[in-house]
Amino acid sequence: MELQGIAGHIKQRELELLQTDWRANPALIDDWLSADFEEIGSDGQVSQRVDVVNWLLNKDNATQWSLTDFRIKALTDGWIMAIYSVKKINDPSSTSKGSIRTSIWQYQGNHWKMVFHQATQRLET
């Protein structure tokens, strides 16, 4: 798969991670997150896979998200870094300006799995 096709695929997976109701089939999370996954949240806290899985299973599924400025960089064969901005689009009570996200994906078996994720709170408009 060429880089542009990979970018579209990874962008779709990023969006689906945020918008899928994982309670309907929690075992599918194993197809998306690597066993050694970890995250640095916009608050600077490091979260292990179990914490992120818990968030995915309990998040508000009515929230819709907008991904903009999406791009990927090939790191090595089978490793991709995604960089993009994200913002909640249907939460009028939110005062957040969104965040800039970076994810590292590895091609494992026959699909891409997220290995690492970091969110940086956006301070400007």
Side-chain angles (χ1 to χ4, degrees):
M1 183 181 289
E2 38 84 33
L3 217 48
Q4 187 175 4
I6 294 171
H9 180 72
I10 297 294
K11 182 178 182 180
Q12 186 63 35
R13 286 183 77 87
E14 293 274 5
L15 195 55
E16 288 177 8
L17 268 169
L18 291 170
Q19 296 188 165
T20 297
D21 181 355
W22 293 102
R23 291 173 290 211
N25 196 347
L28 282 180
I29 294 172
D30 291 340
D31 290 338
W32 295 71
L33 299 181
S34 178
D36 59 348
F37 173 85
E38 65 181 337
E39 173 180 80
I40 301 173
S42 61
D43 60 0
Q45 296 294 314
V46 176
S47 297
Q48 300 304 312
R49 186 181 193 279
V50 66
D51 302 314
V52 174
V53 168
N54 187 49
W55 180 84
L56 288 170
L57 293 173
N58 294 292
K59 67 183 175 55
D60 179 0
N61 290 307
T63 302
Q64 295 294 303
W65 303 81
S66 169
L67 273 62
T68 57
D69 303 322
F70 191 91
R71 62 193 185 281
I72 64 169
K73 294 180 182 255
L75 301 175
T76 65
D77 190 36
W79 288 83
I80 296 291
M81 181 171 61
I83 304 164
Y84 59 96
S85 295
V86 68
K87 186 173 183 174
K88 292 180 185 179
I89 57 174
N90 67 335
D91 185 358
S93 65
S94 176
T95 59
S96 173
K97 294 176 175 54
S99 59
I100 300 170
R101 309 277 178 111
T102 303
S103 299
I104 297 177
W105 293 78
Q106 181 185 26
Y107 197 74
Q108 297 179 9
N110 61 352
H111 56 272
W112 291 95
K113 287 190 178 190
M114 189 184 290
V115 176
F116 176 80
H117 184 258
Q118 181 169 357
T120 303
Q121 187 175 12
R122 184 180 289 279
L123 300 177
E124 78 279 356
T125 58

